[in-house]
Amino acid sequence: MTQADETIGLDDLSALRLRAVEILRNNDRGGYTVPTDNLYPFQWNWDSAFCAMGIATFDIDRAWAELESLYVGQWSNGMLPHIVFHHVVDSYYPGPEVWGASHAPQTSGISQPPLTATATRFILDRAGGETRSRERAAALYPKILAQHDWWARERDPDSTGLVGVLHPWESGADNSPVWDGPLKGTPATKTSFNRRDVALVDATMRPRQWEYERYIYLVELYRGLGWDGSRMWAETPFKVADVGLNAILMRDERDLRALAEQFGTAAERERLASRAAQRQRGLESLWDSADRTYYSRDLVTGQRMPIASYAGFLPLWGGVDDKARVAQLAAELQRWLDLCAFGAPTMAPNSPEFDQRRYWRGPVWAIVNWMLGDGLARHGCDDLAKRLRDDTRRLMELDGFCEYYDPLTGEGLGGGAFSWTAAAGLAWALG
Ligand code: DGY
């Protein structure tokens, strides 16, 4: 029995797991899962991949359906959009008319951290050798490959090994302090708009208005460029090699290589192997040996962005194998954890940017803990992995399955009854 089992108790654990299943079922809109009711009323890309893994713990068929419905939104160039607007409702801004992308069903025009190869492997493992699951994985494989080819072709046109994100939303960590610099060099939209998020969630927990004005400016700029990837790459004021996204991409590509062993051709396996070597060199170029951390890079100015965020630890999930490097990252993460009651915070609690309640500027996210905990365990850092798992359980027990949590008080923040938090419970923390 672990320490968390002792504090939480096995009956409480089962009750929590049942509640997590209930949340994923309630947020099912018929073959796809919304992140939470009202605040996010469509299918989001990386949310769905996490949900698929959570759902696979109790319903394999429905887990495959989650990934299949996400790929209904895939563009012909391979891009997997960050939102698929299966059924349009007006509780969210910016809706499909703001994106102006020509796809049926309607979608946004940017992507999000790729986790579908990882999710496919996860579901396959859970399904054992079941034939129907193998068929569904085989059908998904070329779509996932096309998506990775898109990242390589359109978001790393100079073959540096690092892909760039062209919108803060594409990183998944919308209002990370790391984006403050490039966003200050991005114009504000001249369009007046009505944010729906701050009507649903306290504004102190959400991105600020000045950031939203730039988020919308970028959407309008790209819409004006007809979502043409090479023009977007050339003309954007916001282009960053986010260490977090690159690490998640590397993990997904590793899982894709494993899928290619079963479902791919020799030429595809070769292409993925040479891409992996290139990515490794790219990631290495983000390592700062003086500060012993990974920093993202601004691809417009070419400058490194020396603000440490949780993303600097994500190479533990995908990208880092060197023991000494792992030990350095683990020591730094331990330092962050020593400064808070519940880890892992998205920013160091003693950093000037830390804001304990505001979205990606401080709060704890269960899916981040899952990625870090999995990476730490894989590298043999069992104590630290256990600390993250125990903290995640305690947060779920204290305040349910919230979007994120205050690392100093444990208070649940943002949206409630949140799908990917429930999925993180089922597939990892409450297992
Ligand atoms: C939001 O609306 O807050 C999303 O994170 C953007 O996709």
Side-chain angles (χ1 to χ4, degrees), residues 40 44 82 92 169 174 206 212 359:
Y40 303 120
W44 260 260
H82 98 296
Y92 181 81
W169 289 341
D174 304 7
R206 294 289 303 171
Y212 251 83
Y359 213 37

Side-chain angles (χ1 to χ4, degrees), residues 23-356:
I23 287 174
L24 285 165
R25 290 209 165 116
N26 287 346
N27 288 341
D28 183 343
R29 294 291 177 273
Y32 70 95
T33 307
V34 296
T36 189
D37 205 18
N38 287 322
L39 183 61
Y40 303 120
F42 312 108
Q43 187 175 26
W44 260 260
N45 178 332
W46 71 324
D47 290 75
S48 250
F50 283 116
C51 288
M53 293 190 264
I55 295 167
T57 64
F58 62 91
D59 187 343
I60 293 290
D61 176 58
R62 179 60 186 78
W64 288 122
E66 187 69 31
L67 296 182
E68 289 158 357
S69 60
L70 182 62
Y71 276 93
V72 167
Q74 186 171 35
W75 287 14
S76 57
N77 65 0
M79 200 274 286
L80 192 65
H82 98 296
I83 305 177
V84 186
F85 299 104
H86 291 283
H87 298 288
V88 180
V89 295
D90 66 4
S91 69
Y92 181 81
Y93 178 88
E97 67 294 342
V98 182
W99 293 92
S102 55
H103 187 277
Q106 292 175 300
T107 69
S108 70
I110 56 171
S111 197
Q112 239 178 1
L115 284 130
T116 51
T118 302
T120 298
R121 265 190 98 187
F122 185 99
I123 306 171
L124 260 185
D125 279 357
R126 292 275 166 158
E130 199 238 327
T131 313
R132 184 71 193 115
S133 281
R134 278 186 54 78
E135 286 167 2
R136 291 172 91 169
L140 279 168
Y141 166 77
K143 300 177 185 179
I144 305 173
L145 180 66
Q147 177 196 356
H148 280 269
D149 288 345
W150 173 83
W151 277 108
R153 189 180 64 246
E154 303 229 352
R155 295 312 175 79
D156 182 18
D158 302 320
S159 302
T160 63
L162 289 172
V163 300
V165 297
L166 304 189
H167 196 293
W169 289 341
E170 205 155 53
S171 72
D174 304 7
N175 66 338
S176 167
V178 186
W179 315 143
D180 289 357
L183 275 189
K184 285 190 180 128
T186 300
T189 180
K190 295 198 169 31
T191 310
S192 64
F193 58 91
N194 179 13
R195 284 175 67 176
R196 310 282 203 283
D197 60 322
V198 284
L200 297 164
V201 166
D202 189 311
T204 61
M205 301 176 193
R206 294 289 303 171
R208 291 157 298 179
Q209 183 64 17
W210 77 269
E211 293 164 306
Y212 251 83
E213 288 166 1
R214 275 123 190 115
Y215 299 160
I216 301 306
Y217 170 85
L218 290 169
V219 172
E220 292 172 333
L221 171 70
Y222 303 147
R223 186 184 68 208
L225 296 174
W227 298 104
D228 174 324
S230 51
R231 291 192 65 194
M232 288 163 64
W233 185 264
E235 294 180 39
T236 184
F238 185 95
K239 180 161 55 179
V240 299
D242 168 23
V243 62
L245 188 134
N246 277 278
I248 294 172
L249 180 77
M250 287 176 78
R251 169 64 180 267
D252 207 56
E253 279 179 359
R254 205 184 66 193
D255 290 319
L256 183 58
R257 289 202 299 285
L259 295 174
E261 291 299 325
Q262 297 184 59
F263 307 116
T265 64
E268 288 162 359
R269 287 192 283 275
E270 243 168 66
R271 178 158 94 241
L272 290 172
S274 84
R275 197 174 286 162
Q278 198 182 43
R279 296 235 176 284
Q280 205 64 55
R281 289 193 290 277
L283 183 69
E284 196 53 32
S285 73
L286 299 182
W287 177 250
D288 186 301
S289 47
D291 292 1
R292 297 172 162 208
T293 192
Y294 290 95
Y295 289 132
S296 297
R297 182 178 312 132
D298 187 328
L299 297 176
V300 173
T301 63
Q303 301 298 308
R304 68 190 192 119
M305 304 164 92
I307 297 176
S309 80
Y310 80 99
F313 299 116
L314 277 177
L316 292 164
W317 164 256
V320 143
D321 282 318
D322 176 75
K323 274 197 176 3
R325 184 71 58 81
V326 168
Q328 287 171 333
L329 290 174
E332 180 62 3
L333 180 58
Q334 182 66 61
R335 198 182 66 76
W336 288 33
L337 296 180
D338 289 344
L339 297 169
C340 54
F342 301 89
T346 30
M347 299 298 292
N350 60 348
S351 69
E353 299 86 8
F354 178 71
D355 183 341
Q356 70 196 73

